């Protein structure tokens, strides 16, 4: 199989080295983006919910005992006890006892979720969407090493690529001129059949060509930048950044593995590859482990890690759902996905149904959180894509990553900040408890004085606090003094 000559990329002369020292530390700092965090968090349980939905729907009876769901908890990626997860979404799952006998409860799907499922299958079966998915697979194969991708890696990326459940049987055979399966389905690979010059153009190159700037391959091409509020850059880093943007753009469809891993040219090419891969995903985001998995197969895992470390203004790293998620920042506006995608519209309808409960026969939306989430749920139910009017918020908390900590999480600086905040919280709780104790004591003392006599109330309060009332000597009156003098005379 022959491929174009431009796939083998030429070497660049005078490779620049990546900045070091304090400048590298400064560039690796970023602030949290609340809008993007919510975009990740709102889909937290969507994937396991749809896994359970598909499992129930595959049964002939269209129902399953909860014990079967519990046995498949790990493969379904259910984050909590299966019965608790099911009962959390009564608008999606209906729990019942078959025949009214006291055995394990069974679960079936509500009519509302079945209606969305029908529309979802219409999307998967439409010719336009099938062609769109085939183009994604073809572009990913042209980026990959040796123009092949193992099936097990594609299975990990199936959710992100928007592939149908049985894509190897329902999709791949319909495009024999594009790709084919080599080997068995379990240990096989998807192989590229024919290179497409028309599709071997990155999204950045396409926008530059459409913009009328006269762009041609090998020319400098700047990445679109979205700095979060609170991001600061000193002069040294700013100069390096401007020079980095002016470097020649190496297409992700060109082989640049000959570049030294620690040069700016290599760094920009790796950023171009990651940028193009995220653009192939329907939600323009993916879990970091999946991103690094495809990076390892491409032989540039360490370069991907360095790109995530030094370019948070391109790729936002959210830790909102207990794992790291890489988000393409330019694809979102005010926490909402800009691109109108038919599959994402379906997923938003599922999200809207998840947060809807029935009360007295009426549907009540329980969408909580920011206005971005409520707007997204409304758009999903109406199948309309648009922007939200709410403002994007950033909380301004700086987080620093080091090269060795990209795998392990946040740095010691954030941990110290967390510990300091926790100490402050403990002190605040202690003060609050003392105040509550004093207030409660006053209220109880007041109640005792109200319901008891003055003497009894004081004695009860004294007993309550385990102390006795000190004896006060009584004042002597005149009759008492006369009586005492008479007693002394008689004794003498």
């Amino acid at each position: 199989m022959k491929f174009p000559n431009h796939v083998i990329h030429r070497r660049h002369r005078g490779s620049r080295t990546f900045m070091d020292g304090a400048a590298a530390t400064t560039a690796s700092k970023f602030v949290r983006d609340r809008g993007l965090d919510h975009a990740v968090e709102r889909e937290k349980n969507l994937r396991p919910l749809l896994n359970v939905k598909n499992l129930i729907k595959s049964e002939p009876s269209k129902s399953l005992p909860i014990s079967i769901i519990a046995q498949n908890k790990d493969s379904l990626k259910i984050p909590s006890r299966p019965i608790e997860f099911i009962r959390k979404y009564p608008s999606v799952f209906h729990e019942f006892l078959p025949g009214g006998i006291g055995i394990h409860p069974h679960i079936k799907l509500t009519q509302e979720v079945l209606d969305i499922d029908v529309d979802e299958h219409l999307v998967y079966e439409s010719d336009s969407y099938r062609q769109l998915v085939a183009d994604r697979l073809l572009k990913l194969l042209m980026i990959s090493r040796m123009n092949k991708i193992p099936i097990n890696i594609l299975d990990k990326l199936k959710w992100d690529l928007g592939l149908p459940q049985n894509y190897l049987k329902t999709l791949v055979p319909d495009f024999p001129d594009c790709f084919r399966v080599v080997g068995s389905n379990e240990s096989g690979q998807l192989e590229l059949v024919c290179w497409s010059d028309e599709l071997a153009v990155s999204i950045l190159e396409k926008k530059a060509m459409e913009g009328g700037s006269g762009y041609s391959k090998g020319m400098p091409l700047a990445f679109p930048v979205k700095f979060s509020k609170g991001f600061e850059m000193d002069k040294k880093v700013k100069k390096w950044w401007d020079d980095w943007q002016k470097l020649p753009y190496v297409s992700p469809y060109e082989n640049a593995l000959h570049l030294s891993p620690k040069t700016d040219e290599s760094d920009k090419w790796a950023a171009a590859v990651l940028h193009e891969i995220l653009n192939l995903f329907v939600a323009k985001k993916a879990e970091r482990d999946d991103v690094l998995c495809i990076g390892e197969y491409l032989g540039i895992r360490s370069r991907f890690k360095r790109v995530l470390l030094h370019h948070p203004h391109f790729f936002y790293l959210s830790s909102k759902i207990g794992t790291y998620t890489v988000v393409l920042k330019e694809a979102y506006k005010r926490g909402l996905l800009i691109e109108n995608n038919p599959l994402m519209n379906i997923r938003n309808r599922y999200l809207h149904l998840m947060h809807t409960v029935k009360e007295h026969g009426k549907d009540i939306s329980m969408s909580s959180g920011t206005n971005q989430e409520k707007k997204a749920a409304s758009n999903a139910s109406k199948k309309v894509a648009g922007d939200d009017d709410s403002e994007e918020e950033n909380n301004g908390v700086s987080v620093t990553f080091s090269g060795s900590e990209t795998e392990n999480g946040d740095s010691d600086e954030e941990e110290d900040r967390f510990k300091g905040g926790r100490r402050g919280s403990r002190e605040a709780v202690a003060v609050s408890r003392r105040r509550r104790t004093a207030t409660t004591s006053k209220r109880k003392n007041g109640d005792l004085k109200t319901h008891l006599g003055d003497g009894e109330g004081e004695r009860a309060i004294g007993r309550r606090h385990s102390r006795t009332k000190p004896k006060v000597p009584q004042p002597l009156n005149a009759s008492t003094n006369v009586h005492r003098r008479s007693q002394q005379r008689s004794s003498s």
Side-chain angles (χ1 to χ4, degrees), residues 167-457:
Y167 68 97
L168 292 177
K169 296 181 179 179
T170 61
L171 179 71
V172 173
D174 292 342
F175 296 90
D177 296 335
C178 298
F179 34 69
R180 63 189 176 193
V181 176
V182 180
S184 61
N185 290 347
E186 293 77 13
S187 59
Q189 294 180 322
L190 189 67
E191 181 183 53
L192 178 68
V193 172
C194 183
W195 185 276
S196 173
D197 288 332
E198 181 183 358
L199 293 177
V201 179
S202 70
I203 186 68
L204 288 182
E205 291 177 312
K206 184 178 179 180
K207 290 181 179 179
M209 293 175 182
E210 292 174 351
S213 60
Y215 171 80
S216 61
K217 283 188 177 293
M219 292 179 60
L221 187 60
F223 284 79
V225 182
K226 289 188 69 175
F227 292 109
S228 299
K229 294 179 182 179
F231 181 85
E232 296 181 357
M233 185 182 296
D234 61 25
K235 293 181 179 180
K236 183 177 179 181
V237 178
K238 182 66 168 58
K239 183 180 184 306
W240 169 86
W241 170 251
D242 292 338
D243 293 339
W244 189 92
Q245 285 279 49
K246 294 175 183 178
L247 287 174
Y249 176 83
V250 183
S251 172
Y253 299 97
E254 299 182 29
N255 186 356
L257 289 176
H258 60 275
L259 293 175
S260 177
K262 294 184 179 181
T263 60
D264 287 350
E265 288 82 0
S266 172
D267 180 64
K268 189 167 185 177
W269 173 72
V273 174
L274 181 55
H275 184 274
E276 185 72 3
I277 290 177
L278 287 176
N279 267 289
L280 296 179
F281 296 159
V282 291
K284 314 304 180 189
K285 60 182 176 65
E287 291 187 7
R288 187 188 65 171
D289 290 343
D290 294 338
V291 170
L292 295 180
C293 177
I294 186 66
E296 183 174 6
Y297 177 72
L298 298 176
I300 54 175
R301 176 188 173 94
S302 60
R303 303 189 197 193
F304 272 8
K305 290 171 63 178
R306 193 163 59 252
V307 166
L308 294 176
L309 173 67
H310 294 293
H311 298 287
H313 32 275
F314 301 154
F315 314 108
Y316 180 72
L317 205 59
S318 174
S319 58
K320 220 33 190 168
I321 58 175
T323 182
Y324 287 103
T325 303
V326 182
V327 184
L328 186 63
K329 295 188 71 172
E330 67 183 80
Y332 284 80
K333 183 178 181 180
R334 295 171 182 172
L336 293 177
L337 188 64
I338 298 174
E339 181 180 282
N340 184 18
N341 185 285
L343 185 59
M344 286 304 300
N345 291 337
I346 293 294
R347 290 180 181 178
N348 284 331
R349 290 177 61 190
Y350 280 121
L351 288 171
H352 180 68
L353 182 63
M354 288 168 60
H355 297 93
T356 301
V357 297
K358 288 184 178 293
E359 184 174 327
H360 304 299
K362 298 180 180 180
D363 290 342
I364 300 177
S365 177
M366 299 298 290
S367 298
S368 60
T370 63
N371 292 332
Q372 294 98 319
E373 296 180 36
K374 298 176 182 178
K375 182 69 176 180
S378 176
N379 288 347
S381 62
K382 298 177 181 178
K383 297 185 179 179
V384 176
D387 293 333
D388 186 13
D389 293 333
S390 63
E391 294 295 331
E392 181 182 10
E393 300 176 83
N394 300 297
N395 62 7
V397 179
S398 297
V399 184
T400 305
F401 292 93
S402 66
S404 61
E405 291 167 343
T406 307
E407 286 292 321
N408 298 327
D410 297 343
S411 65
D412 294 337
E413 180 181 346
E414 185 179 7
E415 184 179 356
D416 293 339
R417 190 183 302 110
F418 172 74
K419 291 180 179 178
R422 187 166 54 183
R423 285 195 297 270
S425 299
R426 286 200 296 266
E427 294 174 1
V429 169
V431 172
S432 177
R433 286 177 178 173
R434 287 197 295 270
R435 290 175 179 174
R436 285 200 304 270
T437 303
T439 304
T440 304
S441 177
K442 290 180 181 179
R443 290 176 179 174
K444 292 182 178 179
N445 292 348
D447 293 341
L448 284 171
K449 290 181 179 180
T450 301
H451 295 289
L452 300 177
D454 291 339
E456 289 184 356

Side-chain angles (χ1 to χ4, degrees), residues 39-56:
V40 172
E41 189 177 22
R42 65 189 294 267
E43 297 183 14
K44 179 179 180 180
N45 291 331
L46 176 61
R47 192 169 178 178
L49 181 138
L50 295 185
N51 289 339
V52 177
K53 185 263 297 182
N54 293 331
L55 179 63
I56 295 175

Side-chain angles (χ1 to χ4, degrees), residues 130-172:
R130 289 168 63 82
Q131 185 62 54
L132 187 64
V133 173
D135 290 345
R136 290 192 199 121
L137 285 175
L138 187 59
K139 291 171 76 71
L140 190 61
L141 286 170
M142 290 191 293
I143 293 174
S144 64
R145 180 176 58 183
M146 302 300 295
N147 306 117
K148 296 179 181 179
I149 298 181
I151 298 299
N152 61 341
I153 293 181
L154 285 179
D155 288 340
K156 288 184 178 182
L157 302 177
K158 182 167 61 175
W159 170 266
D160 302 312
L161 289 169
L163 299 177
Q165 286 295 316
N166 298 320
Y167 68 97
L168 292 177
K169 296 181 179 179
T170 61
L171 179 71
V172 173

